[in-house]
Amino acid sequence: MDRWHYLLVLAACLLITLPLEFLGTGVYRRPVRTARAVLPVAAVFVVWDALAIGADVWTYNPRYISGIHLFGVMPLEELLFFIVIPLCGLLTFTAVDNLLHKGRRLWSQRREVRT
């Protein structure tokens, strides 16, 4: 069970933030926009991470990863990290932005009614 910890944490992050899709303008409903936001940054960090792992700057405890490695060095979980965490961040940002926008609009409407 230990070897699935990293994947389970990533899955939990996605599951916990999934309801935010319905509070925001849509992250999963706009796949091209999402890919344009996530993939360039993920690519830079994947290369940087692969170089650091290859140079033994850091390692991963094999007890907590699946054992699937990309490019011969990077754990699958690490690649997924660079996709999942930005997705969760985008979901959070769009939901909060949308809720704040709605709140400002309601506040503005209430002020207009009072005057």
Side-chain angles (χ1 to χ4, degrees), residues 38-72:
V38 172
L39 295 181
V41 177
V44 169
F45 280 105
V46 164
V47 169
W48 174 63
D49 207 53
L51 291 171
I53 293 167
D56 287 328
V57 174
W58 59 74
T59 61
Y60 297 89
N61 188 333
R63 179 177 176 183
Y64 299 109
I65 59 175
S66 65
I68 300 169
H69 288 78
L70 307 170
F71 318 114

Side-chain angles (χ1 to χ4, degrees), residues 11-58:
C13 290
L14 287 174
L15 188 62
I16 290 167
T17 57
L18 181 62
L20 298 176
E21 173 72 6
F22 306 106
L23 295 175
T25 56
V27 170
Y28 296 124
R29 291 175 279 168
R30 295 176 160 186
V32 173
R33 181 179 174 201
T34 300
R36 287 174 48 200
V38 172
L39 295 181
V41 177
V44 169
F45 280 105
V46 164
V47 169
W48 174 63
D49 207 53
L51 291 171
I53 293 167
D56 287 328
V57 174
W58 59 74

Side-chain angles (χ1 to χ4, degrees), residues 95-113:
V96 169
D97 186 54
N98 191 44
L99 291 172
L100 287 175
H101 180 71
K102 286 180 180 179
R104 286 185 197 112
R105 192 172 15 162
L106 286 172
W107 179 258
S108 177
Q109 290 172 352
R110 289 180 75 195
R111 289 182 66 195
E112 287 175 10
V113 170

Side-chain angles (χ1 to χ4, degrees), residues 83-94:
I83 296 169
V84 168
I85 299 307
L87 277 174
C88 295
L90 280 172
L91 284 161
T92 304
F93 175 80
T94 60

